[in-house]
């Protein structure tokens, strides 16, 4: 299998996430939104880690075991245990996504970056940024499609209720998870952890204004 996790450069990229929480949003809403974003980011790191092991494995049975363990972890709603498969990465340098800058005033803007104690695990976090961008991009596409459907409903008889099922977010978490899994090249399954499911629904409830990836901090608006 091909190696999916390249060696990371010392300069990690940035992911800029901008969301419109409305004028003077409730403090609890801001906190819940950031928690939801953090939950999806944790899933992206988990997926990136297992993706690296799965795609670099030369043993098909071992690769299958890795994929199965990932889905079992998701079903249990538990955090991943990287050291089960990579004992050469100490716990203190495990990859994560961190906040480089945060603007709470609406629209909220979070500038995320990859963090780890060494170059090798940093590569997983860099990939996780890309997976998170893919998941948030799926949410943005759904939000645009929902807005178009809503306009179509308004153009018809408002009392007909036609198309209301198409506006439901019931199938969105599955779409997001499948998009992230497809990009990671791990065998796709529709396994959803309850916390990830709820996080995606909350993220989708708030309009995403922009999700973009930048290479250097100079590319990120600091105003």
């Amino acid at each position: 299998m091909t190696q999916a996790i390249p060696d990371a450069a010392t300069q990690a990229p940035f992911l800029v996430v901008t969301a419109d929480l409305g004028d003077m949003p409730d403090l609890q809403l801001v906190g819940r939104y950031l928690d939801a974003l953090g939950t999806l980011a944790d899933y992206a790191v988990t997926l990136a880690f297992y993706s690296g092991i799965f795609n670099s494995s030369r043993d098909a049975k071992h690769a299958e075991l890795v994929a199965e363990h990932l889905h079992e972890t998701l079903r249990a709603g538990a955090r991943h245990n990287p050291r089960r498969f990579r004992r050469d990465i100490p716990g203190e340098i495990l990859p994560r996504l961190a906040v480089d800058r945060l603007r709470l005033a609406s629209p909220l803007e979070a500038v995320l970056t990859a963090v780890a104690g060494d170059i090798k695990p940093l590569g997983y976090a860099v990939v996780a940024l890309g997976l998170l961008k893919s998941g948030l991009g799926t949410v943005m596409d759904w939000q645009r499609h929902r807005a178009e459907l809503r306009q179509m409903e308004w153009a018809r008889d408002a009392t007909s209720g036609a198309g209301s099922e198409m506006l439901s977010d019931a199938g969105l978490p599955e779409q997001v998870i499948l998009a992230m899994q497809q990009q990671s090249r791990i065998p796709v399954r529709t396994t959803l952890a309850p916390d990830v499911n709820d996080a995606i629904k909350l993220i989708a409830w708030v309009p995403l204004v922009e999700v973009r990836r930048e290479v250097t901090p100079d590319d990120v608006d600091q105003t």
Side-chain angles (χ1 to χ4, degrees), residues 36 39-41 43-44 47 130-143 169-184 188-192 196-197 199-204 208:
T39 296
L40 192 59
Y43 173 72
L47 191 58
L131 295 175
L132 179 59
K133 182 178 183 295
S134 176
L136 293 175
T138 301
V139 173
M140 286 190 73
D141 290 342
W142 177 83
Q143 288 177 338
D169 64 355
L172 178 62
E174 179 178 334
Q175 294 177 37
V176 172
I177 294 303
L178 291 181
M180 295 173 73
Q181 288 183 0
Q182 286 172 348
Q183 182 168 328
S184 73
V188 172
R189 293 188 190 178
T190 56
T191 304
L192 287 175
V196 177
N197 183 82
I200 293 171
K201 288 186 176 182
L202 178 56
I203 291 171
L208 280 165

Side-chain angles (χ1 to χ4, degrees), residues 87 118 162 204-205:
R87 299 182 183 278
D118 200 0
W205 186 77

Side-chain angles (χ1 to χ4, degrees), residues 6 8-9 11-13 48 95 97 114-115 121-131 213:
Q11 177 60 64
L97 299 186
V115 176
L122 181 60
Y124 294 111
V126 170
V127 171
L129 274 179
L131 295 175
R213 192 170 179 176

Side-chain angles (χ1 to χ4, degrees), residues 42-43 46 50 69-70 72-81 193-196:
D42 281 345
Y43 173 72
T46 301
Y50 281 100
H69 185 259
L70 167 64
E72 286 180 358
T73 299
L74 292 177
R75 282 194 294 269
R79 288 186 59 86
H80 65 296
N81 178 18
D195 58 338
V196 177

Side-chain angles (χ1 to χ4, degrees), residues 31-180:
R32 288 171 56 210
Y33 186 84
L34 291 175
D35 281 344
L37 190 59
T39 296
L40 192 59
D42 281 345
Y43 173 72
V45 172
T46 301
L47 191 58
F49 185 87
Y50 281 100
S51 169
I53 303 171
F54 176 85
N55 289 290
S56 62
S57 178
R58 297 181 180 179
D59 185 333
K61 289 186 177 180
H62 178 260
E64 183 178 347
L65 175 64
V66 171
E68 182 58 33
H69 185 259
L70 167 64
H71 295 298
E72 286 180 358
T73 299
L74 292 177
R75 282 194 294 269
R79 288 186 59 86
H80 65 296
N81 178 18
R83 300 207 64 206
R84 171 169 176 172
F85 294 102
R86 286 296 301 270
R87 299 182 183 278
D88 59 323
I89 299 182
E92 65 270 15
I93 63 172
L94 289 176
R96 62 188 177 91
L97 299 186
V99 177
D100 182 75
R101 282 187 301 283
L102 180 64
R103 184 183 68 196
L104 295 178
S106 189
L108 179 147
E109 181 177 85
V111 181
L112 309 178
T113 190
V115 176
D118 200 0
I119 290 296
K120 184 176 290 185
L122 181 60
Y124 294 111
V126 170
V127 171
L129 274 179
L131 295 175
L132 179 59
K133 182 178 183 295
S134 176
L136 293 175
T138 301
V139 173
M140 286 190 73
D141 290 342
W142 177 83
Q143 288 177 338
R144 293 192 190 101
H145 182 57
R146 184 178 61 171
E148 292 171 355
L149 290 175
R150 183 175 289 114
Q151 289 179 350
M152 292 171 59
E153 279 200 335
W154 288 344
R156 294 193 297 267
D157 185 355
T159 63
S160 67
S164 59
E165 292 183 0
M166 298 178 68
L167 297 176
S168 171
D169 64 355
L172 178 62
E174 179 178 334
Q175 294 177 37
V176 172
I177 294 303
L178 291 181
M180 295 173 73

